[in-house]
Amino acid sequence: GHGLARVRAVAGEALGARAVIGTRTPIQYLDFTLLPGAVVEQPLTAGWSAGVYVFAGRALVGQRELQDGQLGVLWQGESVRLSVG
């Protein structure tokens, strides 16, 4: 759904938003806000570790549902699909 996803790029970039700070170690720290119906496909950098933390509500991360306070660790892949039903 258009307009249902927003991202604040703390470090790195996503959905056309880029952080204003640089880091010595290359990282991406992205703060997504997803409204019901939102679907985001976020590319992952090869060789990097990645995780998803749900601050509030529930989110489908790949095929796994996470609830608030849960962390999902992503082991491999070229992207992660984030969605909220």
Side-chain angles (χ1 to χ4, degrees):
H2 183 68
L4 299 176
R6 186 176 75 235
V7 66
R8 183 174 65 96
V10 179
E13 62 182 283
L15 301 179
R18 176 174 283 169
V20 295
I21 63 164
T23 58
R24 288 181 180 257
T25 303
I27 64 167
Q28 282 197 326
Y29 186 121
L30 307 172
D31 180 5
F32 283 95
T33 300
L34 305 177
L35 298 176
V39 177
V40 174
E41 190 81 21
Q42 176 61 39
L44 300 176
T45 303
W48 288 19
S49 299
V52 176
Y53 183 83
V54 178
F55 283 98
R58 295 178 298 172
L60 191 60
V61 180
Q63 299 299 318
R64 183 169 178 203
E65 182 178 274
L66 298 177
Q67 297 184 14
D68 56 323
Q70 290 187 313
L71 171 70
V73 178
L74 309 174
W75 293 104
Q76 55 185 321
E78 295 180 0
S79 67
V80 62
R81 184 175 192 261
L82 308 171
S83 61
V84 176

